[in-house]
Amino acid sequence: MSTEADYRSLCRQVETKERAGRAQDRRPTAGERRVRSAAARRAVLLRSRGRCENPDCFKADLPYRTKAGEPLLEADHIDDHAKGGRDHPAAMIALCPNCHRNKTHGEDGPAMTERLRAEAALLDTKWQEHRDPRWPPRSVTALAGAVPPRF
């Protein structure tokens, strides 16, 4: 089947559900959801200084903004929060939508998760230890030869 034929077939499936009145199927949910910490989310976004914290991001300085004028960043739990991931900035990272999607669904996701785990822990440590707004440098690699500011 060609790409166009696949597309048309999928559209027909959607239209068939619409005609049957099942366009908005609902699934019951049970149980509880873990509540995310607003303070942890805000801390991660503050730490990011409006940039994607993935050191391998192709466009870390985002031109995109939310409706409130903030950088379009997502505070991501390195380990899935719903499955017990820690709700603390040391275990979270600010990602642009592309990097977040790649971490969650990309082929490189597991390796990226491990790189981001180290990056988030390092950034949290440096922000906890230092007060200078120029600290920390952007990434783990930049830290290799960096000397922390003296106060």
Side-chain angles (χ1 to χ4, degrees), residues 27-56:
R27 290 189 182 111
T29 59
E32 296 179 346
R33 269 184 71 168
R34 294 180 68 197
V35 177
R36 295 184 162 129
S37 166
R41 179 185 179 280
R42 189 69 200 128
V44 169
L45 295 176
L46 177 69
R47 180 186 73 199
S48 76
R49 295 174 290 186
R51 296 174 51 108
C52 180
E53 290 183 319
N54 175 10
D56 299 324

Side-chain angles (χ1 to χ4, degrees), residues 2-151:
S2 71
T3 303
E4 293 83 3
D6 290 339
Y7 180 82
R8 287 190 296 274
S9 174
L10 292 168
C11 286
R12 281 193 300 279
Q13 289 176 32
V14 171
E15 292 160 2
T16 299
K17 284 184 80 171
E18 285 177 336
R19 283 191 298 278
R22 293 184 13 244
Q24 300 295 320
D25 284 345
R26 302 204 185 270
R27 290 189 182 111
T29 59
E32 296 179 346
R33 269 184 71 168
R34 294 180 68 197
V35 177
R36 295 184 162 129
S37 166
R41 179 185 179 280
R42 189 69 200 128
V44 169
L45 295 176
L46 177 69
R47 180 186 73 199
S48 76
R49 295 174 290 186
R51 296 174 51 108
C52 180
E53 290 183 319
N54 175 10
D56 299 324
C57 182
F58 292 116
K59 195 150 186 84
D61 289 317
L62 302 170
Y64 308 111
R65 297 280 179 247
T66 65
K67 291 177 182 175
E70 299 288 325
L72 189 58
L73 290 170
E74 300 167 1
D76 178 56
H77 291 81
I78 304 294
D79 296 306
D80 190 354
H81 184 251
K83 294 179 182 173
R86 187 173 179 217
D87 199 21
H88 185 279
M92 297 168 68
I93 196 149
L95 297 174
C96 69
N98 285 341
C99 288
H100 190 190
R101 186 80 174 166
N102 189 34
K103 175 193 169 275
T104 305
H105 300 287
E107 180 180 2
D108 186 38
M112 185 177 180
T113 295
E114 293 311 312
R115 288 192 307 271
L116 294 175
R117 182 187 320 284
E119 184 76 16
L122 180 66
L123 290 171
D124 177 68
T125 298
K126 294 306 173 188
W127 273 72
Q128 295 282 356
E129 292 175 358
H130 302 285
R131 304 287 184 252
D132 186 319
R134 295 165 298 176
W135 187 261
R138 172 94 176 96
S139 68
V140 176
T141 45
L143 278 171
V147 177
R150 303 224 175 217
F151 301 101

